[in-house]
Amino acid sequence: MIRLFVPKDVSALAVGADRVAKVLTQQAGEGVQIVRTGSRGMTWLEPLIEVETPEGRIAYGPVTPADVPELLAAGLLSGADHPLRIGRPEDHPFMVRQTRLTFARCGIVDPLSLDDYRAHGGLEGLTKALAMSPEAVVAEVTASGLRGRGGAGFPTGIKWKTVADAAADRKYIVCNADEGDSGTFADRMILEGDPFCLIEGMVIAGLAVGATKGFVYSRSEYPHANVTFTEALILAREAGLIGPDILDSGRSFELELRVGAGAYVCGEETALLESLEGKRGMVRAKPPLPAHVGLFGKPTVINNLVSLASVPVILAKGAKAYADYGLGRSRGTMPIQIAGNAKYTGLFEAAFGITLGEIIETVAGGTLSGRPVKAVQCGGPLGAYFPPSLFDTPYDYEAFTARDGLIGHGGIVVFDDSVQMGAQARFAMEFCAIESCGKCTPCRIGSTRGVEVIDKIMAGTERAANMAVLEDLCQTLKYGSLCALGGFTPYPVMSAVRHFPDDFNGSGTSAKVPAE
Amino acid sequence: MASKTTNLVADWDPNRAAAIINAHLGLEGPALPILHGLQAAFGCVPSEAIPMVAKALNRSRAEIHGVVTFYHDFREAPAGKTVVKLCRAEACQAVGGREAASFLLASLGIGWGETTPDGAVTVEAVYCLGLCAAAPAALVNGQPHGRLDGMSLIEAVAEETQP
Ligand SMILES: Cc1cc2nc3c(=O)[nH]c(=O)nc-3n(C[C@H](O)[C@H](O)[C@H](O)COP(=O)(O)O)c2cc1C
Ligand code: SF4
Ligand code: FES
Ligand code: FES
């Protein structure tokens, strides 16, 4: 039996992977099994298909349905040479530079095979956790130095300890999979490519803090991920990985998937909890912290999906092995997601400390268009635009903060020199206005004012005076907002103003944005 | 110009709505699953269903109406036959997303959130589909499309709208 691997990850489907799989099924002949996997994260090469050979898996990409007959004739099934041949994926420069811990299995295993999961190290972490005291599990996560991968970078172990120490009849684990940041897809890739890893991480979290119920809050923009994860939950329940008696331990943990309804602000943890409770996604004032008064008023661990999916490998390999990677107070690895106008787009998991310049110039290979890089937006729609002059910034929470930026959830969007930064600043304000939960006046009203002021600046109307108004508005947003939607919108806006003043020169050349 | 509210819920069925509501009442926090269920069945959250949901959840009508209007997904009237969820966010902008979107909207003669007068196509803005490494991206009737430009976007929509 020859095995061919074709990704089912939605990014591969979006560029024709299903059609390629169909033609392969028709033409590869008897004795060939097609296994659908997640994505390796080399998205620019999708559809990236692989064949199992004695030398390992050999990859070809990007493959179109029309390439299939020629590939088969050239000897695809034995890994033969062809212009589309990539060789062994793990030998590709994009992969060689990575440290795959959280994403070790993604793109390799059949995401819905628990046997495959076990064969690739799955459940080692949970097995260890079941033999440890809850306090020891929390201590291990704390010692790993893991910080929240959702954006704020709060130490995960400390959050868990707060919930573990809270006395309550019921506690919850909530996975924040409301991955709304443009330029990010790490959560989605795990949901589609290694869903059991998230389930394992959440079960461990439940054991560690004494919670017996978990929710994964995903988004409606991820229909494929939600289908895969729903199937994974069924399989996990059948196998006793979740349910009343986890792996015959006598401990219980139930897990449900919930899907949002198109509201960026529901990624903010308290708005997410409101949404899970069936309310409008309005941000709650803190304190109380969710760790004390969370879902349905009960102590709740709410963590980003990548934070939770990193727990199994931390338990399996030990806190020290994880903490050995990284720089300063940023320990372990980060799945950096390279998107937009980059030559090599995809997911690059690396230890903290790599510089932004290495990521953009070497890993991402510069722009797709071949034109010079003008700016990169790091950390989603609330993140700053960095000019090439700041490319020496190391990928590290503190280093980014020191330069008025954030790494956020690890997204990096590359723009070439055709981008008009005034238009980008305008979009940041517009996005804030569209997605504001409405609780704070600066965020709700100020953002619309921001759009108008930028329009005036771009039209050349009283430029200096309006620039001052814009700066003022940003100060008001920064200090008068309850959450980071209003509070951080000034980052993309002011970074654009500061680093690209020429794009606000009032020459009226703003790329016209279609009105909402 | 076509608008969001030209269509009526032709297949409104209170028994079906009640069944959907009841099926979710055992859940913790059932409101969103119920609203998703109603929209999946009727193409929108019919106004007739609001008092039913309110009663079942022991909440006020105003509160449930507030929930429905808060979330961008929930519609008060059904969309066109083909729904294009077109990404407007930054990674798509960086590779010509704005231009592709303008091209499609101009060719359909509608704006964001609108439906063509014949009820064939609705174009909705979404902010990131997680396809940012294969941008610009869209979901056309749930089917993912990436590395789009104006022409291929129109083709993707035409594929779905042709009988
Ligand atoms: C407007 C807004 C949107 C957010 N979106 C997300 C998101 O999509 N995913 C996420 O994990 N965290 C998001 N966050 C951060 C969460 O509030 C919270 O910090 C995170 O879920 C905590 O998990 P972690 O400690 O594992 O990162 C968002 C915050 C704000 C203010
Ligand atoms: S800053 Fe904006 S999104 Fe955040 S709580 Fe205030 S109004 Fe809501
Ligand atoms: S519907 Fe988007 S903020 Fe109210
Ligand atoms: S920004 Fe368009 S798919 Fe992510």
Side-chain angles (χ1 to χ4, degrees):
Chain A
M1 180 68 78
I2 296 171
R3 296 208 296 166
L4 278 173
F5 300 86
V6 183
K8 206 179 70 172
D9 183 280
V10 68
S11 67
L13 301 183
V15 291
D18 267 350
R19 279 177 282 130
V20 172
K22 193 170 159 206
V23 180
L24 279 169
T25 311
Q26 289 162 351
Q27 301 188 0
E30 300 270 308
V32 175
Q33 185 198 358
I34 293 176
V35 181
R36 302 304 294 269
T37 61
S39 171
R40 294 268 190 176
M42 295 193 276
T43 316
W44 83 96
L45 289 173
E46 296 288 5
L48 181 74
I49 69 172
E50 296 172 28
V51 61
E52 199 168 51
T53 75
E55 289 78 50
R57 288 198 200 170
I58 304 296
Y60 298 80
V63 176
T64 66
D67 293 325
V68 170
E70 195 192 292
L71 273 168
L72 286 167
L76 164 73
L77 297 181
S78 55
D81 228 7
H82 185 276
L84 293 179
R85 189 179 188 274
I86 305 295
R88 301 194 323 155
E90 55 273 26
D91 297 339
H92 191 285
F94 190 81
M95 300 301 281
V96 170
R97 291 195 189 97
Q98 298 192 44
T99 304
R100 285 273 175 129
L101 299 179
T102 308
F103 285 78
R105 280 176 297 264
C106 199
I108 297 175
V109 296
D110 172 351
L112 294 175
S113 162
L114 263 168
D115 289 339
D116 231 8
Y117 186 62
R118 276 203 192 83
H120 287 85
L123 300 185
E124 277 173 24
L126 176 56
T127 307
K128 280 203 184 158
L130 281 168
M132 292 161 73
S133 71
E135 297 75 29
V137 176
V138 173
E140 195 74 7
V141 172
T142 307
S144 75
L146 177 66
R147 292 167 71 177
R149 302 296 190 232
F154 188 82
T156 304
I158 293 175
K159 188 182 279 189
W160 287 21
K161 182 153 194 326
T162 311
V163 177
D165 289 346
D169 57 341
R170 196 166 167 76
K171 299 177 187 176
Y172 294 98
I173 308 295
V174 174
C175 167
N176 188 341
D178 195 41
E179 190 170 51
D181 287 1
S182 167
T184 66
F185 41 84
D187 297 355
R188 182 186 63 62
M189 277 181 58
I190 292 282
L191 287 171
E192 295 192 52
D194 197 13
F196 295 128
C197 179
L198 171 61
I199 295 173
E200 183 179 351
M202 291 185 75
V203 175
I204 295 171
L207 294 172
V209 307
T212 50
K213 179 75 187 270
F215 288 96
V216 174
Y217 187 94
S218 174
R219 28 193 331 250
S220 60
E221 292 87 345
Y222 284 2
H224 298 77
N226 298 337
V227 168
T228 303
F229 194 72
T230 301
E231 288 174 31
L233 280 178
I234 293 169
L235 296 171
R237 199 164 290 124
E238 280 171 9
L241 176 52
I242 50 173
D245 185 15
I246 305 155
L247 303 182
D248 304 316
S249 65
R251 323 264 278 274
S252 76
F253 191 75
E254 258 312 325
L255 188 50
E256 265 183 57
L257 172 69
R258 289 296 168 84
V259 180
Y264 176 77
V265 75
C266 287
E268 194 284 330
E269 57 188 10
T270 61
L272 190 156
L273 296 176
E274 290 284 303
S275 182
L276 270 178
E277 291 178 7
K279 302 177 194 150
R280 295 162 67 92
M282 302 286 277
V283 174
R284 296 177 185 168
K286 284 186 272 195
L289 294 172
H292 292 126
V293 183
L295 187 60
F296 303 111
K298 303 293 181 188
T300 301
V301 166
I302 174 160
N303 270 133
N304 172 253
L305 188 151
V306 173
S307 312
L308 290 163
S310 299
V311 168
V313 70
I314 288 170
L315 268 287
K317 299 205 187 255
K320 185 170 179 307
Y322 190 80
D324 277 347
Y325 294 102
L327 173 81
R329 295 204 293 120
S330 305
R331 310 310 313 177
T333 58
M334 184 76 189
I336 299 166
Q337 299 131 82
I338 302 164
N341 199 333
K343 191 166 174 199
Y344 308 131
T345 55
L347 182 134
F348 186 86
E349 182 176 353
F352 287 97
I354 182 173
T355 67
L356 191 52
E358 277 174 85
I359 299 170
I360 305 304
E361 281 144 18
T362 311
V363 177
T367 62
L368 176 69
S369 61
R371 301 173 66 103
V373 175
K374 176 159 168 179
V376 299
Q377 188 178 27
C378 301
L382 309 176
Y385 286 97
F386 281 75
S389 59
L390 294 182
F391 279 5
D392 60 337
T393 313
Y395 211 77
D396 162 272
Y397 291 102
E398 279 68 39
F400 267 60
T401 308
R403 290 190 157 170
D404 281 336
L406 50 130
I407 65 173
H409 183 50
I412 298 184
V413 178
V414 181
F415 291 82
D416 73 11
D417 63 352
S418 67
V419 68
Q420 212 294 337
M421 296 308 295
Q424 297 311 114
R426 183 191 195 277
F427 177 79
M429 284 290 190
E430 187 189 2
F431 184 74
C432 181
I434 293 167
E435 298 298 339
S436 170
C437 87
K439 201 160 185 160
C440 322
T441 313
C443 172
R444 189 180 71 242
I445 314 267
S447 49
T448 301
R449 274 285 280 137
V451 172
E452 294 162 4
V453 172
I454 293 172
D455 280 344
K456 283 187 196 152
I457 294 169
M458 301 309 291
T461 313
E462 295 176 66
R463 184 181 176 277
N466 278 309
M467 272 298 201
V469 173
L470 183 60
E471 296 247 7
D472 259 13
L473 250 170
C474 283
Q475 289 298 313
T476 311
L477 272 170
K478 198 165 168 182
Y479 297 106
S481 299
L482 187 57
C483 86
L485 181 47
F488 285 14
T489 293
Y491 282 118
V493 175
M494 290 317 295
S495 59
V497 171
R498 196 160 301 125
H499 301 305
F500 308 95
D502 290 353
D503 282 16
F504 295 81
N505 63 8
S507 62
T509 52
S510 165
K512 268 285 170 250
V513 186
E516 178 71 16
Chain B
M1 186 53 47
S3 80
K4 276 186 176 176
T5 51
T6 46
N7 300 311
L8 293 169
V9 187
D11 50 358
W12 167 244
D13 175 353
N15 294 324
R16 195 167 170 214
I20 291 165
I21 294 168
N22 287 331
H24 293 99
L25 287 181
L27 296 177
E28 295 178 86
L32 255 63
I34 288 175
L35 297 175
H36 275 304
L38 290 168
Q39 180 146 312
F42 300 110
C44 68
V45 180
S47 55
E48 295 91 330
I50 305 273
M52 297 173 70
V53 177
K55 188 151 183 279
L57 300 184
N58 210 1
R59 292 165 67 181
S60 73
R61 291 178 190 202
E63 222 184 316
I64 300 301
H65 180 75
V67 174
V68 172
T69 52
F70 181 84
Y71 296 95
H72 298 299
D73 280 1
F74 296 132
R75 280 188 270 267
E76 297 179 62
K81 276 204 192 67
T82 291
V83 176
V84 184
K85 290 184 183 253
L86 185 53
C87 180
R88 277 194 74 206
E90 291 90 338
C92 288
Q93 295 168 3
V95 276
R98 286 186 178 111
E99 294 72 17
S102 303
F103 197 65
L104 176 71
L105 291 171
S107 89
L108 294 171
I110 57 174
W112 288 106
E114 294 179 346
T115 302
T116 53
D118 61 357
V121 184
T122 300
V123 179
E124 286 182 351
V126 290
Y127 298 89
C128 195
L129 295 164
L131 292 169
C132 343
L139 289 178
V140 182
N141 283 345
Q143 294 300 313
H145 296 269
R147 296 179 197 147
L148 289 164
D149 56 24
M151 279 316 288
S152 59
L153 178 57
I154 285 179
E155 276 165 29
V157 174
E159 241 173 69
E160 288 289 323
T161 47
Q162 261 139 35

